[in-house]
Amino acid sequence: MPYVFLLGAIAAEVFATSLLKSTEGFSRLWPTVACLTGYVVSFAALSQAVKGVQVGFAYALWSGLGTAAIVAIGAAFLGEPITFVKVAGTALIILGVVTLNLGGAAH
C-alpha cells in the first residue's frame, strides 16, 4: 500500500506543478486553488507512503519522477524546448534516483 500512496503523491505533485504557470503568480483563483490542492494531496499521500518505505527512497522517487514528468509535460503541452542539456540533466536525475535506491537496497 505505501507504493500506491507514493504513486498518488507523484501524480498529485505533477498535476500541481503543471498548473503553476496557469496560476499567473497565484493571481487566478481557480488554477491557484487546484494547484494548492494538488500539493496538499501530494504531501498527504507522501506522508502516508513514508510509513511503509524509507523517507530517502520515497523522496528520491517523488522528486526524481516528478521532475522527469514535468520536463516531458513542459515539452509536450507548454511549448518548452527540449535541449540536450535538459535531456542530460533529466537523465542524471533518474540515474541519481536509481543509484540511491540500489545503494539503499544493499543495506
Side-chain angles (χ1 to χ4, degrees):
M1 194 67 179
Y3 295 100
V4 173
F5 281 115
L6 184 55
L7 288 175
I10 293 166
E13 187 270 334
V14 168
F15 169 77
T17 302
S18 67
L19 289 175
L20 273 176
K21 191 171 187 172
S22 69
T23 69
E24 295 181 12
F26 296 131
S27 65
R28 295 182 60 216
L29 178 63
W30 294 116
T32 297
V33 169
C35 178
L36 294 178
T37 300
Y39 283 125
V40 167
V41 169
S42 179
F43 279 104
L46 186 61
S47 73
Q48 294 302 309
V50 298
K51 289 180 178 180
V53 297
Q54 294 179 356
V55 173
F57 172 81
Y59 189 75
L61 284 178
W62 180 80
S63 61
L65 293 178
T67 299
I70 288 299
V71 168
I73 288 169
F77 300 108
L78 301 176
E80 296 178 0
I82 292 286
T83 64
F84 173 77
V85 172
K86 270 190 186 178
V87 172
T90 303
L92 287 170
I93 289 168
I94 292 169
L95 181 63
V97 169
V98 170
T99 302
L100 283 171
N101 290 321
L102 290 176
H107 296 339

